[in-house]
Structures are given as structure tokens and as C-alpha cells.
Amino acid sequence: MSTPKTPVSLKGPQIALLTSTITYPLVFYLATPRNATASRFTKSREAISVLHCSLVTLLSAYELRKQSKDWDAISISRINRSASKHDAIQTSDGANCPLITTRSMLGNIITAFEMGYLVQDAVILILAARLRARGRGKGLVKEINWRVLGWHHAGLSSALAVLQWYISSGREKGIMVILMLMLINAS
């Protein structure tokens, strides 16, 4: 018995993940000369990282600003409907507050783009560590705690992978909170 073949339909977040996964290594390849020293390799990675962080920070700030109008309107209407300030606090439990329940296609796309970046950046970090190990003792690269950075990438990538699974099934929550955390990129 054969199964009917249906075309795969990609949604915005999956396209962003695929784009990020392909674009980052391509840009890195074009920005890094062949036979690059460990120092040049690291500089290329850092330049791309700055561009990526700037883009994600700006997109996150834009989406948070755009969505904040809805949170304010909902919060004000809840307080106005309540008899007292105490009742308003009790009726707005954390799981159902607009900040948690707001859905955002752009927010989903940003998190998918970030996941693709983190996965590919982890690969670049592994390659950089190998290049650095070959040139040990030459002092070409500033000291970075590679183990911590690797665990950081693995943890965030795993969490974002779980989030992408929830997004694909339409059960995501807390995207706005995650976008707020992405503003940390500005630092």
C-alpha cells in the first residue's frame, strides 16, 4: 500500500530556521579567507555575531513595541471592569496575562532565526577551537571559555528547538517574554 505524497508546506518560522541555517555558514565562508589564522577566523565570527545580535535586537524591540499596545488596552479594560484594584490583581493570573498569551508570527520567526544562528555558530565555534588548538602557544586568539560558550549554545538551541516544536503545533506561549530576553543581545 503506497502513501500519497503531499508537498511539504513550510511556515514562516520554518523558513526562517532554514534560511538562518543556510545563510550564516555562507556569509561566514565569504567573510573568512581560506587559510585564515585563528585570529582572523575569530574576527569573522565576531563580526557576524555583532550583525546578527543587532538585527535580532532591533526586530525584537520592534515587535515588542508593536504588540505592547494590545497589552495596555487589555490590562486597562480588565482594571476598569473590576470593582476594586484587589479584584483586578486576582482576576489576572500569570498564565492568562496578555504578555504570555499574545501570539506573534514575527516573534516566532525571530526565535527560529535565532535557533538556526545558534546551531551554526556552535559549528563555527568547534571549528575555531580546532584551529586554535593547532596554533596553541602563538597567542593569536583572545582567551574565551569555550566550554561555557558551548554549553550556552547547546542549552539555548535545545530550548529553542522545543519552542519550535510548540510553534509548529500551534501551542506556543510566552513569545513576548522570550523576545524581551533577546533584548539582552544589545549588551
Side-chain angles (χ1 to χ4, degrees):
M1 184 183 249
S2 67
T3 58
K5 292 185 178 182
T6 58
V8 176
S9 68
L10 295 175
K11 297 178 184 171
Q14 289 90 13
I15 292 170
L17 178 60
L18 184 62
T19 301
S20 179
T21 305
I22 293 169
T23 304
Y24 177 55
L26 181 62
V27 170
F28 185 81
Y29 176 77
L30 295 173
T32 309
R34 296 198 193 266
N35 302 324
T37 63
S39 177
R40 179 64 171 100
F41 198 87
T42 300
K43 286 178 184 174
S44 294
R45 183 201 160 268
E46 287 176 352
I48 292 169
S49 180
V50 166
L51 291 173
H52 170 80
C53 289
S54 299
L55 176 66
V56 167
T57 299
L58 290 172
L59 287 173
S60 297
Y62 168 78
E63 184 63 5
L64 287 166
R65 175 74 175 141
K66 186 176 84 170
Q67 295 288 344
S68 70
K69 296 172 188 168
D70 296 335
W71 309 328
D72 292 341
I74 292 169
S75 298
I76 290 169
S77 68
R78 280 187 181 169
I79 290 173
N80 289 339
R81 282 184 282 156
S82 299
S84 70
K85 193 174 185 179
H86 179 70
D87 291 338
I89 293 169
Q90 286 183 345
T91 59
S92 63
D93 68 2
N96 293 321
C97 75
L99 187 61
I100 301 295
T101 59
T102 298
R103 298 183 116 172
S104 164
M105 180 58 77
L106 180 57
N108 293 347
I109 289 170
I110 293 168
T111 60
F113 189 74
E114 181 72 11
M115 182 189 159
Y117 167 78
L118 286 171
V119 168
Q120 293 304 315
D121 195 47
V123 171
I124 298 301
L125 287 171
I126 291 167
L127 294 173
R130 291 180 65 200
L131 184 61
R132 184 174 172 267
R134 272 191 254 146
R136 181 152 312 268
K138 295 180 181 174
L140 294 173
V141 180
K142 67 180 179 182
E143 286 301 314
I144 297 175
N145 190 334
W146 296 98
R147 183 171 287 147
V148 171
L149 196 56
W151 281 111
H152 168 80
H153 276 57
L156 286 177
S157 296
S158 298
L160 288 172
V162 170
L163 176 63
Q164 294 311 307
W165 181 71
Y166 277 98
I167 288 171
S168 68
S169 62
R171 300 183 308 150
E172 76 278 9
K173 282 193 172 192
I175 292 297
M176 295 298 118
V177 174
I178 294 168
L179 290 182
M180 288 176 187
L181 291 172
M182 287 198 182
L183 293 178
I184 294 170
N185 282 332
S187 67

